[in-house]
PDB file of all heavy atoms in Angstrom:
ATOM      1  N   MET P   1      10.513  -3.459  -3.615  1.00  0.00           N
ATOM      2  CA  MET P   1      10.673  -3.370  -2.186  1.00  0.00           C
ATOM      3  C   MET P   1       9.311  -3.677  -1.548  1.00  0.00           C
ATOM      4  O   MET P   1       8.292  -3.148  -1.966  1.00  0.00           O
ATOM      5  CB  MET P   1      11.144  -1.970  -1.806  1.00  0.00           C
ATOM      6  CG  MET P   1      11.126  -1.742  -0.344  1.00  0.00           C
ATOM      7  SD  MET P   1      11.518  -0.082   0.328  1.00  0.00           S
ATOM      8  CE  MET P   1      11.880   0.939  -1.016  1.00  0.00           C
ATOM      9  N   LEU P   2       9.298  -4.512  -0.539  1.00  0.00           N
ATOM     10  CA  LEU P   2       8.070  -4.816   0.187  1.00  0.00           C
ATOM     11  C   LEU P   2       7.728  -3.686   1.147  1.00  0.00           C
ATOM     12  O   LEU P   2       8.600  -3.170   1.845  1.00  0.00           O
ATOM     13  CB  LEU P   2       8.219  -6.111   0.996  1.00  0.00           C
ATOM     14  CG  LEU P   2       8.100  -7.410   0.221  1.00  0.00           C
ATOM     15  CD1 LEU P   2       8.362  -8.586   1.151  1.00  0.00           C
ATOM     16  CD2 LEU P   2       6.734  -7.544  -0.403  1.00  0.00           C
ATOM     17  N   ARG P   3       6.457  -3.311   1.180  1.00  0.00           N
ATOM     18  CA  ARG P   3       5.971  -2.287   2.103  1.00  0.00           C
ATOM     19  C   ARG P   3       4.693  -2.793   2.745  1.00  0.00           C
ATOM     20  O   ARG P   3       3.962  -3.581   2.151  1.00  0.00           O
ATOM     21  CB  ARG P   3       5.678  -0.978   1.364  1.00  0.00           C
ATOM     22  CG  ARG P   3       6.881  -0.313   0.733  1.00  0.00           C
ATOM     23  CD  ARG P   3       7.892   0.223   1.729  1.00  0.00           C
ATOM     24  NE  ARG P   3       7.359   1.199   2.633  1.00  0.00           N
ATOM     25  CZ  ARG P   3       7.458   2.511   2.488  1.00  0.00           C
ATOM     26  NH1 ARG P   3       8.089   3.009   1.460  1.00  0.00           N
ATOM     27  NH2 ARG P   3       6.927   3.316   3.374  1.00  0.00           N
ATOM     28  N   THR P   4       4.409  -2.333   3.957  1.00  0.00           N
ATOM     29  CA  THR P   4       3.194  -2.700   4.675  1.00  0.00           C
ATOM     30  C   THR P   4       2.339  -1.457   4.853  1.00  0.00           C
ATOM     31  O   THR P   4       2.842  -0.401   5.220  1.00  0.00           O
ATOM     32  CB  THR P   4       3.534  -3.298   6.060  1.00  0.00           C
ATOM     33  OG1 THR P   4       4.419  -4.404   5.876  1.00  0.00           O
ATOM     34  CG2 THR P   4       2.288  -3.768   6.770  1.00  0.00           C
ATOM     35  N   ILE P   5       1.030  -1.602   4.596  1.00  0.00           N
ATOM     36  CA  ILE P   5       0.092  -0.506   4.767  1.00  0.00           C
ATOM     37  C   ILE P   5      -1.069  -0.977   5.629  1.00  0.00           C
ATOM     38  O   ILE P   5      -1.286  -2.171   5.802  1.00  0.00           O
ATOM     39  CB  ILE P   5      -0.446   0.011   3.410  1.00  0.00           C
ATOM     40  CG1 ILE P   5      -1.175  -1.095   2.657  1.00  0.00           C
ATOM     41  CG2 ILE P   5       0.656   0.608   2.582  1.00  0.00           C
ATOM     42  CD1 ILE P   5      -1.898  -0.619   1.411  1.00  0.00           C
ATOM     43  N   THR P   6      -1.800  -0.023   6.186  1.00  0.00           N
ATOM     44  CA  THR P   6      -3.010  -0.354   6.939  1.00  0.00           C
ATOM     45  C   THR P   6      -4.229   0.119   6.155  1.00  0.00           C
ATOM     46  O   THR P   6      -4.236   1.198   5.580  1.00  0.00           O
ATOM     47  CB  THR P   6      -3.024   0.294   8.337  1.00  0.00           C
ATOM     48  OG1 THR P   6      -2.899   1.705   8.199  1.00  0.00           O
ATOM     49  CG2 THR P   6      -1.907  -0.224   9.212  1.00  0.00           C
ATOM     50  N   LEU P   7      -5.246  -0.726   6.150  1.00  0.00           N
ATOM     51  CA  LEU P   7      -6.532  -0.411   5.530  1.00  0.00           C
ATOM     52  C   LEU P   7      -7.540  -0.380   6.664  1.00  0.00           C
ATOM     53  O   LEU P   7      -7.821  -1.400   7.271  1.00  0.00           O
ATOM     54  CB  LEU P   7      -6.938  -1.480   4.511  1.00  0.00           C
ATOM     55  CG  LEU P   7      -5.940  -1.783   3.408  1.00  0.00           C
ATOM     56  CD1 LEU P   7      -6.423  -2.951   2.573  1.00  0.00           C
ATOM     57  CD2 LEU P   7      -5.743  -0.565   2.540  1.00  0.00           C
ATOM     58  N   GLY P   8      -8.053   0.782   6.967  1.00  0.00           N
ATOM     59  CA  GLY P   8      -8.971   0.890   8.104  1.00  0.00           C
ATOM     60  C   GLY P   8      -8.205   0.850   9.406  1.00  0.00           C
ATOM     61  O   GLY P   8      -7.076   1.319   9.503  1.00  0.00           O
ATOM     62  N   SER P   9      -8.809   0.245  10.425  1.00  0.00           N
ATOM     63  CA  SER P   9      -8.187   0.278  11.753  1.00  0.00           C
ATOM     64  C   SER P   9      -7.385  -0.971  12.093  1.00  0.00           C
ATOM     65  O   SER P   9      -6.491  -0.927  12.926  1.00  0.00           O
ATOM     66  CB  SER P   9      -9.260   0.485  12.821  1.00  0.00           C
ATOM     67  OG  SER P   9     -10.182  -0.584  12.776  1.00  0.00           O
ATOM     68  N   CYS P  10      -7.679  -2.121  11.462  1.00  0.00           N
ATOM     69  CA  CYS P  10      -6.994  -3.337  11.896  1.00  0.00           C
ATOM     70  C   CYS P  10      -6.563  -4.269  10.770  1.00  0.00           C
ATOM     71  O   CYS P  10      -6.077  -5.356  11.043  1.00  0.00           O
ATOM     72  CB  CYS P  10      -7.872  -4.102  12.887  1.00  0.00           C
ATOM     73  SG  CYS P  10      -9.421  -4.638  12.175  1.00  0.00           S
ATOM     74  N   VAL P  11      -6.717  -3.882   9.519  1.00  0.00           N
ATOM     75  CA  VAL P  11      -6.325  -4.741   8.402  1.00  0.00           C
ATOM     76  C   VAL P  11      -5.019  -4.225   7.822  1.00  0.00           C
ATOM     77  O   VAL P  11      -4.908  -3.052   7.467  1.00  0.00           O
ATOM     78  CB  VAL P  11      -7.417  -4.767   7.305  1.00  0.00           C
ATOM     79  CG1 VAL P  11      -6.963  -5.616   6.134  1.00  0.00           C
ATOM     80  CG2 VAL P  11      -8.725  -5.282   7.865  1.00  0.00           C
ATOM     81  N   SER P  12      -4.019  -5.103   7.745  1.00  0.00           N
ATOM     82  CA  SER P  12      -2.721  -4.748   7.162  1.00  0.00           C
ATOM     83  C   SER P  12      -2.509  -5.544   5.885  1.00  0.00           C
ATOM     84  O   SER P  12      -2.932  -6.695   5.783  1.00  0.00           O
ATOM     85  CB  SER P  12      -1.587  -5.064   8.139  1.00  0.00           C
ATOM     86  OG  SER P  12      -1.704  -4.283   9.292  1.00  0.00           O
ATOM     87  N   VAL P  13      -1.833  -4.917   4.924  1.00  0.00           N
ATOM     88  CA  VAL P  13      -1.514  -5.564   3.652  1.00  0.00           C
ATOM     89  C   VAL P  13      -0.042  -5.342   3.388  1.00  0.00           C
ATOM     90  O   VAL P  13       0.471  -4.235   3.549  1.00  0.00           O
ATOM     91  CB  VAL P  13      -2.353  -4.973   2.495  1.00  0.00           C
ATOM     92  CG1 VAL P  13      -1.939  -5.581   1.171  1.00  0.00           C
ATOM     93  CG2 VAL P  13      -3.827  -5.176   2.732  1.00  0.00           C
ATOM     94  N   GLN P  14       0.654  -6.406   2.969  1.00  0.00           N
ATOM     95  CA  GLN P  14       2.066  -6.290   2.622  1.00  0.00           C
ATOM     96  C   GLN P  14       2.218  -6.652   1.151  1.00  0.00           C
ATOM     97  O   GLN P  14       1.723  -7.691   0.708  1.00  0.00           O
ATOM     98  CB  GLN P  14       2.913  -7.211   3.487  1.00  0.00           C
ATOM     99  CG  GLN P  14       4.392  -7.005   3.310  1.00  0.00           C
ATOM    100  CD  GLN P  14       5.196  -7.816   4.302  1.00  0.00           C
ATOM    101  OE1 GLN P  14       4.858  -8.953   4.594  1.00  0.00           O
ATOM    102  NE2 GLN P  14       6.248  -7.233   4.822  1.00  0.00           N
ATOM    103  N   GLY P  15       2.886  -5.791   0.399  1.00  0.00           N
ATOM    104  CA  GLY P  15       3.071  -6.049  -1.019  1.00  0.00           C
ATOM    105  C   GLY P  15       4.189  -5.204  -1.592  1.00  0.00           C
ATOM    106  O   GLY P  15       4.868  -4.475  -0.873  1.00  0.00           O
ATOM    107  N   MET P  16       4.340  -5.309  -2.912  1.00  0.00           N
ATOM    108  CA  MET P  16       5.393  -4.567  -3.604  1.00  0.00           C
ATOM    109  C   MET P  16       4.980  -3.104  -3.757  1.00  0.00           C
ATOM    110  O   MET P  16       3.868  -2.806  -4.182  1.00  0.00           O
ATOM    111  CB  MET P  16       5.648  -5.179  -4.985  1.00  0.00           C
ATOM    112  CG  MET P  16       6.231  -6.572  -4.919  1.00  0.00           C
ATOM    113  SD  MET P  16       7.803  -6.670  -4.055  1.00  0.00           S
ATOM    114  CE  MET P  16       8.851  -5.788  -5.175  1.00  0.00           C
ATOM    115  N   PHE P  17       5.901  -2.199  -3.414  1.00  0.00           N
ATOM    116  CA  PHE P  17       5.644  -0.763  -3.501  1.00  0.00           C
ATOM    117  C   PHE P  17       5.399  -0.372  -4.958  1.00  0.00           C
ATOM    118  O   PHE P  17       6.125  -0.778  -5.857  1.00  0.00           O
ATOM    119  CB  PHE P  17       6.842   0.007  -2.949  1.00  0.00           C
ATOM    120  CG  PHE P  17       6.710   1.495  -3.068  1.00  0.00           C
ATOM    121  CD1 PHE P  17       5.926   2.198  -2.184  1.00  0.00           C
ATOM    122  CD2 PHE P  17       7.374   2.180  -4.067  1.00  0.00           C
ATOM    123  CE1 PHE P  17       5.799   3.575  -2.293  1.00  0.00           C
ATOM    124  CE2 PHE P  17       7.257   3.554  -4.183  1.00  0.00           C
ATOM    125  CZ  PHE P  17       6.472   4.247  -3.295  1.00  0.00           C
ATOM    126  N   VAL P  18       4.343   0.440  -5.180  1.00  0.00           N
ATOM    127  CA  VAL P  18       4.018   0.914  -6.526  1.00  0.00           C
ATOM    128  C   VAL P  18       4.299   2.410  -6.642  1.00  0.00           C
ATOM    129  O   VAL P  18       5.066   2.830  -7.498  1.00  0.00           O
ATOM    130  CB  VAL P  18       2.535   0.628  -6.868  1.00  0.00           C
ATOM    131  CG1 VAL P  18       2.184   1.207  -8.232  1.00  0.00           C
ATOM    132  CG2 VAL P  18       2.253  -0.863  -6.823  1.00  0.00           C
ATOM    133  N   ARG P  19       3.661   3.223  -5.784  1.00  0.00           N
ATOM    134  CA  ARG P  19       3.855   4.677  -5.863  1.00  0.00           C
ATOM    135  C   ARG P  19       3.398   5.338  -4.573  1.00  0.00           C
ATOM    136  O   ARG P  19       2.657   4.759  -3.805  1.00  0.00           O
ATOM    137  CB  ARG P  19       3.091   5.263  -7.043  1.00  0.00           C
ATOM    138  CG  ARG P  19       1.585   5.152  -6.899  1.00  0.00           C
ATOM    139  CD  ARG P  19       0.863   5.753  -8.103  1.00  0.00           C
ATOM    140  NE  ARG P  19      -0.552   5.505  -8.022  1.00  0.00           N
ATOM    141  CZ  ARG P  19      -1.162   4.408  -8.433  1.00  0.00           C
ATOM    142  NH1 ARG P  19      -0.464   3.441  -8.963  1.00  0.00           N
ATOM    143  NH2 ARG P  19      -2.464   4.267  -8.319  1.00  0.00           N
ATOM    144  N   LYS P  20       3.860   6.576  -4.382  1.00  0.00           N
ATOM    145  CA  LYS P  20       3.430   7.405  -3.255  1.00  0.00           C
ATOM    146  C   LYS P  20       2.387   8.387  -3.765  1.00  0.00           C
ATOM    147  O   LYS P  20       2.569   8.995  -4.816  1.00  0.00           O
ATOM    148  CB  LYS P  20       4.621   8.160  -2.667  1.00  0.00           C
ATOM    149  CG  LYS P  20       4.273   8.945  -1.440  1.00  0.00           C
ATOM    150  CD  LYS P  20       5.494   9.587  -0.822  1.00  0.00           C
ATOM    151  CE  LYS P  20       5.077  10.383   0.395  1.00  0.00           C
ATOM    152  NZ  LYS P  20       6.202  11.038   1.030  1.00  0.00           N
ATOM    153  N   LEU P  21       1.303   8.540  -3.027  1.00  0.00           N
ATOM    154  CA  LEU P  21       0.227   9.442  -3.416  1.00  0.00           C
ATOM    155  C   LEU P  21       0.410  10.796  -2.735  1.00  0.00           C
ATOM    156  O   LEU P  21       1.046  10.886  -1.678  1.00  0.00           O
ATOM    157  CB  LEU P  21      -1.121   8.824  -3.050  1.00  0.00           C
ATOM    158  CG  LEU P  21      -1.379   7.458  -3.685  1.00  0.00           C
ATOM    159  CD1 LEU P  21      -2.643   6.838  -3.123  1.00  0.00           C
ATOM    160  CD2 LEU P  21      -1.477   7.589  -5.182  1.00  0.00           C
ATOM    161  N   PRO P  22      -0.150  11.877  -3.302  1.00  0.00           N
ATOM    162  CA  PRO P  22       0.043  13.226  -2.754  1.00  0.00           C
ATOM    163  C   PRO P  22      -0.488  13.407  -1.332  1.00  0.00           C
ATOM    164  O   PRO P  22       0.007  14.255  -0.599  1.00  0.00           O
ATOM    165  CB  PRO P  22      -0.726  14.132  -3.714  1.00  0.00           C
ATOM    166  CG  PRO P  22      -0.967  13.333  -4.935  1.00  0.00           C
ATOM    167  CD  PRO P  22      -0.903  11.899  -4.552  1.00  0.00           C
ATOM    168  N   ASP P  23      -1.450  12.604  -0.913  1.00  0.00           N
ATOM    169  CA  ASP P  23      -2.030  12.759   0.423  1.00  0.00           C
ATOM    170  C   ASP P  23      -1.285  11.972   1.502  1.00  0.00           C
ATOM    171  O   ASP P  23      -1.731  11.885   2.634  1.00  0.00           O
ATOM    172  CB  ASP P  23      -3.511  12.374   0.413  1.00  0.00           C
ATOM    173  CG  ASP P  23      -3.739  10.930   0.008  1.00  0.00           C
ATOM    174  OD1 ASP P  23      -2.759  10.223  -0.294  1.00  0.00           O
ATOM    175  OD2 ASP P  23      -4.911  10.511  -0.020  1.00  0.00           O
ATOM    176  N   GLY P  24      -0.142  11.365   1.165  1.00  0.00           N
ATOM    177  CA  GLY P  24       0.660  10.646   2.148  1.00  0.00           C
ATOM    178  C   GLY P  24       0.458   9.142   2.146  1.00  0.00           C
ATOM    179  O   GLY P  24       1.229   8.417   2.759  1.00  0.00           O
ATOM    180  N   ARG P  25      -0.568   8.666   1.458  1.00  0.00           N
ATOM    181  CA  ARG P  25      -0.778   7.223   1.357  1.00  0.00           C
ATOM    182  C   ARG P  25       0.168   6.649   0.308  1.00  0.00           C
ATOM    183  O   ARG P  25       0.746   7.377  -0.493  1.00  0.00           O
ATOM    184  CB  ARG P  25      -2.227   6.916   0.964  1.00  0.00           C
ATOM    185  CG  ARG P  25      -3.227   7.354   1.993  1.00  0.00           C
ATOM    186  CD  ARG P  25      -4.641   7.004   1.582  1.00  0.00           C
ATOM    187  NE  ARG P  25      -4.948   7.655   0.303  1.00  0.00           N
ATOM    188  CZ  ARG P  25      -5.864   7.222  -0.549  1.00  0.00           C
ATOM    189  NH1 ARG P  25      -6.575   6.159  -0.275  1.00  0.00           N
ATOM    190  NH2 ARG P  25      -6.079   7.878  -1.675  1.00  0.00           N
ATOM    191  N   ILE P  26       0.338   5.324   0.319  1.00  0.00           N
ATOM    192  CA  ILE P  26       1.131   4.658  -0.711  1.00  0.00           C
ATOM    193  C   ILE P  26       0.301   3.533  -1.313  1.00  0.00           C
ATOM    194  O   ILE P  26      -0.667   3.073  -0.719  1.00  0.00           O
ATOM    195  CB  ILE P  26       2.472   4.112  -0.164  1.00  0.00           C
ATOM    196  CG1 ILE P  26       2.240   3.050   0.913  1.00  0.00           C
ATOM    197  CG2 ILE P  26       3.370   5.212   0.333  1.00  0.00           C
ATOM    198  CD1 ILE P  26       3.503   2.316   1.321  1.00  0.00           C
ATOM    199  N   ALA P  27       0.698   3.115  -2.499  1.00  0.00           N
ATOM    200  CA  ALA P  27       0.038   2.014  -3.192  1.00  0.00           C
ATOM    201  C   ALA P  27       0.983   0.822  -3.223  1.00  0.00           C
ATOM    202  O   ALA P  27       2.178   0.976  -3.474  1.00  0.00           O
ATOM    203  CB  ALA P  27      -0.344   2.428  -4.602  1.00  0.00           C
ATOM    204  N   VAL P  28       0.440  -0.371  -2.949  1.00  0.00           N
ATOM    205  CA  VAL P  28       1.201  -1.611  -3.036  1.00  0.00           C
ATOM    206  C   VAL P  28       0.434  -2.585  -3.911  1.00  0.00           C
ATOM    207  O   VAL P  28      -0.787  -2.529  -3.990  1.00  0.00           O
ATOM    208  CB  VAL P  28       1.485  -2.240  -1.651  1.00  0.00           C
ATOM    209  CG1 VAL P  28       2.346  -1.347  -0.791  1.00  0.00           C
ATOM    210  CG2 VAL P  28       0.206  -2.600  -0.925  1.00  0.00           C
ATOM    211  N   ARG P  29       1.166  -3.484  -4.556  1.00  0.00           N
ATOM    212  CA  ARG P  29       0.543  -4.484  -5.426  1.00  0.00           C
ATOM    213  C   ARG P  29       0.732  -5.868  -4.823  1.00  0.00           C
ATOM    214  O   ARG P  29       1.833  -6.249  -4.432  1.00  0.00           O
ATOM    215  CB  ARG P  29       1.157  -4.442  -6.817  1.00  0.00           C
ATOM    216  CG  ARG P  29       0.532  -5.447  -7.777  1.00  0.00           C
ATOM    217  CD  ARG P  29       1.106  -5.344  -9.179  1.00  0.00           C
ATOM    218  NE  ARG P  29       0.941  -4.028  -9.754  1.00  0.00           N
ATOM    219  CZ  ARG P  29      -0.175  -3.583 -10.318  1.00  0.00           C
ATOM    220  NH1 ARG P  29      -1.244  -4.338 -10.365  1.00  0.00           N
ATOM    221  NH2 ARG P  29      -0.224  -2.370 -10.837  1.00  0.00           N
ATOM    222  N   VAL P  30      -0.388  -6.612  -4.761  1.00  0.00           N
ATOM    223  CA  VAL P  30      -0.378  -8.004  -4.317  1.00  0.00           C
ATOM    224  C   VAL P  30      -0.999  -8.811  -5.452  1.00  0.00           C
ATOM    225  O   VAL P  30      -2.200  -8.737  -5.673  1.00  0.00           O
ATOM    226  CB  VAL P  30      -1.181  -8.197  -3.016  1.00  0.00           C
ATOM    227  CG1 VAL P  30      -1.154  -9.651  -2.583  1.00  0.00           C
ATOM    228  CG2 VAL P  30      -0.670  -7.280  -1.913  1.00  0.00           C
ATOM    229  N   GLY P  31      -0.162  -9.528  -6.184  1.00  0.00           N
ATOM    230  CA  GLY P  31      -0.656 -10.234  -7.364  1.00  0.00           C
ATOM    231  C   GLY P  31      -1.105  -9.238  -8.404  1.00  0.00           C
ATOM    232  O   GLY P  31      -0.339  -8.378  -8.830  1.00  0.00           O
ATOM    233  N   GLU P  32      -2.356  -9.322  -8.826  1.00  0.00           N
ATOM    234  CA  GLU P  32      -2.903  -8.385  -9.816  1.00  0.00           C
ATOM    235  C   GLU P  32      -3.670  -7.236  -9.172  1.00  0.00           C
ATOM    236  O   GLU P  32      -4.177  -6.368  -9.862  1.00  0.00           O
ATOM    237  CB  GLU P  32      -3.842  -9.148 -10.770  1.00  0.00           C
ATOM    238  CG  GLU P  32      -3.133 -10.194 -11.608  1.00  0.00           C
ATOM    239  CD  GLU P  32      -2.131  -9.570 -12.556  1.00  0.00           C
ATOM    240  OE1 GLU P  32      -2.438  -8.543 -13.168  1.00  0.00           O
ATOM    241  OE2 GLU P  32      -1.024 -10.139 -12.685  1.00  0.00           O
ATOM    242  N   THR P  33      -3.779  -7.232  -7.846  1.00  0.00           N
ATOM    243  CA  THR P  33      -4.589  -6.235  -7.133  1.00  0.00           C
ATOM    244  C   THR P  33      -3.698  -5.171  -6.523  1.00  0.00           C
ATOM    245  O   THR P  33      -2.658  -5.468  -5.944  1.00  0.00           O
ATOM    246  CB  THR P  33      -5.419  -6.912  -6.028  1.00  0.00           C
ATOM    247  OG1 THR P  33      -6.126  -8.011  -6.595  1.00  0.00           O
ATOM    248  CG2 THR P  33      -6.389  -5.952  -5.403  1.00  0.00           C
ATOM    249  N   GLU P  34      -4.145  -3.919  -6.623  1.00  0.00           N
ATOM    250  CA  GLU P  34      -3.417  -2.795  -6.042  1.00  0.00           C
ATOM    251  C   GLU P  34      -4.225  -2.213  -4.887  1.00  0.00           C
ATOM    252  O   GLU P  34      -5.414  -1.978  -5.023  1.00  0.00           O
ATOM    253  CB  GLU P  34      -3.198  -1.733  -7.115  1.00  0.00           C
ATOM    254  CG  GLU P  34      -2.215  -0.671  -6.731  1.00  0.00           C
ATOM    255  CD  GLU P  34      -1.909   0.243  -7.897  1.00  0.00           C
ATOM    256  OE1 GLU P  34      -1.250  -0.202  -8.845  1.00  0.00           O
ATOM    257  OE2 GLU P  34      -2.338   1.405  -7.845  1.00  0.00           O
ATOM    258  N   TYR P  35      -3.569  -2.032  -3.740  1.00  0.00           N
ATOM    259  CA  TYR P  35      -4.199  -1.483  -2.539  1.00  0.00           C
ATOM    260  C   TYR P  35      -3.542  -0.159  -2.191  1.00  0.00           C
ATOM    261  O   TYR P  35      -2.338   0.009  -2.388  1.00  0.00           O
ATOM    262  CB  TYR P  35      -4.035  -2.430  -1.354  1.00  0.00           C
ATOM    263  CG  TYR P  35      -4.687  -3.776  -1.538  1.00  0.00           C
ATOM    264  CD1 TYR P  35      -3.957  -4.866  -2.010  1.00  0.00           C
ATOM    265  CD2 TYR P  35      -6.025  -3.980  -1.232  1.00  0.00           C
ATOM    266  CE1 TYR P  35      -4.555  -6.105  -2.174  1.00  0.00           C
ATOM    267  CE2 TYR P  35      -6.622  -5.212  -1.390  1.00  0.00           C
ATOM    268  CZ  TYR P  35      -5.889  -6.271  -1.869  1.00  0.00           C
ATOM    269  OH  TYR P  35      -6.483  -7.500  -2.038  1.00  0.00           O
ATOM    270  N   THR P  36      -4.321   0.766  -1.642  1.00  0.00           N
ATOM    271  CA  THR P  36      -3.753   2.014  -1.157  1.00  0.00           C
ATOM    272  C   THR P  36      -4.116   2.165   0.318  1.00  0.00           C
ATOM    273  O   THR P  36      -5.190   1.777   0.758  1.00  0.00           O
ATOM    274  CB  THR P  36      -4.306   3.228  -1.928  1.00  0.00           C
ATOM    275  OG1 THR P  36      -5.721   3.260  -1.812  1.00  0.00           O
ATOM    276  CG2 THR P  36      -3.914   3.182  -3.378  1.00  0.00           C
ATOM    277  N   GLY P  37      -3.161   2.708   1.081  1.00  0.00           N
ATOM    278  CA  GLY P  37      -3.381   2.910   2.513  1.00  0.00           C
ATOM    279  C   GLY P  37      -2.228   3.664   3.128  1.00  0.00           C
ATOM    280  O   GLY P  37      -1.287   4.066   2.441  1.00  0.00           O
ATOM    281  N   LYS P  38      -2.307   3.826   4.435  1.00  0.00           N
ATOM    282  CA  LYS P  38      -1.260   4.546   5.160  1.00  0.00           C
ATOM    283  C   LYS P  38      -0.110   3.603   5.474  1.00  0.00           C
ATOM    284  O   LYS P  38      -0.329   2.481   5.918  1.00  0.00           O
ATOM    285  CB  LYS P  38      -1.815   5.126   6.461  1.00  0.00           C
ATOM    286  CG  LYS P  38      -2.866   6.185   6.212  1.00  0.00           C
ATOM    287  CD  LYS P  38      -3.297   6.849   7.478  1.00  0.00           C
ATOM    288  CE  LYS P  38      -4.317   7.939   7.157  1.00  0.00           C
ATOM    289  NZ  LYS P  38      -4.598   8.762   8.302  1.00  0.00           N
ATOM    290  N   PRO P  39       1.135   4.045   5.253  1.00  0.00           N
ATOM    291  CA  PRO P  39       2.291   3.178   5.546  1.00  0.00           C
ATOM    292  C   PRO P  39       2.432   2.939   7.040  1.00  0.00           C
ATOM    293  O   PRO P  39       2.101   3.787   7.867  1.00  0.00           O
ATOM    294  CB  PRO P  39       3.480   3.945   4.990  1.00  0.00           C
ATOM    295  CG  PRO P  39       3.018   5.349   4.850  1.00  0.00           C
ATOM    296  CD  PRO P  39       1.541   5.327   4.705  1.00  0.00           C
ATOM    297  N   VAL P  40       2.944   1.765   7.380  1.00  0.00           N
ATOM    298  CA  VAL P  40       3.168   1.400   8.785  1.00  0.00           C
ATOM    299  C   VAL P  40       4.553   1.857   9.192  1.00  0.00           C
ATOM    300  O   VAL P  40       5.492   1.735   8.462  1.00  0.00           O
ATOM    301  CB  VAL P  40       3.048  -0.125   8.973  1.00  0.00           C
ATOM    302  CG1 VAL P  40       3.405  -0.534  10.385  1.00  0.00           C
ATOM    303  CG2 VAL P  40       1.647  -0.560   8.641  1.00  0.00           C
TER     304      VAL P  40
END
């Protein structure tokens, strides 16, 4: 499933959902790179 997250104040990343973290952030994968941030 595609999910969108924000990194900082103005950078958004869209990728495949990986997991939900205990602090409310989620992880998404774009290619070989995994990003964590707040869901949009």
Side-chain angles (χ1 to χ4, degrees):
M1 171 185 359
L2 282 176
R3 296 293 301 263
T4 304
I5 60 172
T6 57
L7 305 174
S9 61
C10 62
V11 178
S12 296
V13 176
Q14 188 173 39
M16 294 301 292
F17 177 78
V18 176
R19 66 180 174 275
K20 185 175 179 181
L21 302 172
D23 61 359
R25 296 181 301 156
I26 62 170
V28 297
R29 181 177 302 279
V30 180
E32 295 296 318
T33 309
E34 193 173 290
Y35 298 95
T36 58
K38 295 186 178 190
V40 175

